[in-house]
Amino acid sequence: MLFIETDSPPPFYQEQLTPAKRKQLDKWFIGNRTQRYYLKRFEQFDQQGYLSPKWHWAAFFVTFPWLLYRKRYMDALVYSVAGWSFIQLNITIVLVTFEFFAMSYVPDAYQMATRIGIGALIWLFWSFMVARWTDAYYYRMARREIADAINDYPRDEAAQKAHLKREGGVSLFGLGLGFSFYAFALTVINVQFLPLIAKQKENEVLFDAYDIAKNAQNRVALIYQQTGQCPIDLPLSTEDQQVRMHIDIQAPGVPETDCAIIATVQNVKFPIRYLNGQTLVFYHQPNGDNWECMSSLNKKQTPKSCIAN
């Protein structure tokens, strides 16, 4: 689609046709959907005598379903295999290069967003280039099919019409198939790949939460040992942190305690927002010097030292 001839006259142009006959053939090929739009584009290309970039919104947002909708089945297959492979190759090359030369200068908190942004920019550039040449591509397909119809059935107008309606027009089945493929791809990402990313981020957040809470427990335990009182007014965290902590003489789910450090996960983003509100509690047993740990997390997520034996 991006390597269309810009010769003059356009490829497959049938000079012997009258404007009325050419318009009729175009109507048969285009079909009733958005006929006015494509007839206007085709007339522009005919008048200027060469192909040029225009803008096509459908091709920018949903190129693959649009190709299937317009019955360009083989082109859709080539686009999905060669086109997407080309995009992925470019994204890989750029990401590897950036990772090697520049990623060390990006703060850790912005590195994942930077990678996603690079991939999105390359994809948008490709979509932009495709959208600019889609009308020229479709015009070229129309002229090719019209040339085939005239060559195969030079004196049979009914056969020409049947050929163009068969090769042109639209297919609601193809449109549904295109969006079904998108739905399938999103499902695979959600079921197979997203959990892998979420698991890594989940481990990082829970490790930090346990580490912060454990350090706070050691600090509180030292004060408790020195004073014999629970330092409930001791500041431990700020509201913008991912782990909010406070000290209390009681804690939800703890049957008996006189001092507890309650760490609550907060401010975590997609795809691990389910961790928000989860707690990790270190509490002191009144009848001894032991500190125990419990959590609202499930068994797989809970740190091993907080799982009761």
Side-chain angles (χ1 to χ4, degrees), residues 14 182 201:
Q14 302 294 305
Y182 279 175
K201 291 183 175 294

Side-chain angles (χ1 to χ4, degrees), residues 133-162:
W133 287 101
T134 294
D135 285 339
Y137 155 80
Y138 194 57
Y139 170 87
R140 187 185 188 280
M141 294 299 101
R143 291 291 169 264
R144 187 188 70 185
E145 295 298 344
I146 288 172
D148 289 345
I150 292 174
N151 290 334
D152 293 343
Y153 315 103
R155 302 181 185 279
D156 191 343
E157 187 173 276
Q160 293 175 5
K161 180 178 180 180

Side-chain angles (χ1 to χ4, degrees), residues 176-189:
L177 183 64
F179 282 108
S180 296
F181 178 82
Y182 279 175
F184 173 75
L186 290 175
T187 301
V188 171
I189 292 173

